[in-house]
Amino acid sequence: MSDRILGGFGLLLTAFFIWRTSVIELSFISDPFGPKAFPYIISVVFGLASLVVFLRPDTEPEWPPLSRMFEIGMTVAVMVAYALVLPELGFVISTALTGAYLSWRLGTPPLKALAAGVAISLGIFVVFHLILGLSLARGPFGF
């Protein structure tokens, strides 16, 4: 029963994604696919996955223990906090902190997790901003 609820929720979310993608305004200068292509692709993949879960539910799903549910909730809270502080702290600092926390929760010792967060943040910054020239949120230090 819980798998069907999750699948149904995923299908509703897919419909919402498709609707929101359909109202994206197009500029007169755009690439051949336009800004709607990627959200539509993600929506179709998410919708197909949700449909499979809805139509072929697990007979006896095994829910994680309460401690694991708390970890999942904390991860969701960290991702929401990341989205909220990104404009204020900038991409590099926000991503370093988030990457460090997630690395730590995946079992890395704290100092190594901090190093991993910084490496992840700087690596993504170099690839997306310096190499590809994409605009990322600037923080109080200008990067």
Side-chain angles (χ1 to χ4, degrees):
M1 180 65 172
S2 61
D3 283 356
R4 289 192 193 252
I5 293 170
L6 178 66
F9 180 74
L11 290 171
L12 289 174
L13 197 56
T14 298
F16 176 74
F17 287 164
I18 291 172
W19 170 64
R20 291 303 300 162
T21 300
S22 70
V23 297
I24 293 175
E25 292 186 25
L26 301 176
S27 66
F28 66 95
I29 300 175
S30 71
D31 60 51
F33 293 110
K36 295 182 179 186
F38 185 69
Y40 276 136
I41 292 169
I42 296 297
S43 298
V44 167
V45 171
F46 188 72
L48 289 173
S50 297
L51 191 61
V52 168
V53 171
F54 185 78
L55 294 177
R56 301 189 69 208
D58 194 2
T59 54
E60 195 62 42
E62 200 172 301
W63 286 86
L66 188 58
S67 62
R68 187 58 67 191
M69 292 294 276
F70 178 74
E71 288 285 337
I72 293 169
M74 287 300 295
T75 301
V76 170
V78 166
M79 297 306 291
V80 169
Y82 174 72
L84 294 174
V85 301
L86 186 63
E88 305 302 321
L89 295 180
F91 178 82
V92 174
I93 296 171
S94 300
T95 304
L97 293 172
T98 303
Y101 174 78
L102 294 176
S103 296
W104 173 60
R105 294 316 308 148
L106 287 171
T108 308
L111 286 177
K112 288 183 179 180
L114 184 59
V118 170
I120 290 167
S121 176
L122 292 178
I124 294 172
F125 180 80
V126 166
V127 170
F128 284 95
H129 184 69
L130 300 180
I131 295 174
L132 296 176
L134 298 175
S135 177
L136 299 174
R138 293 186 180 270
F141 304 112
F143 57 86

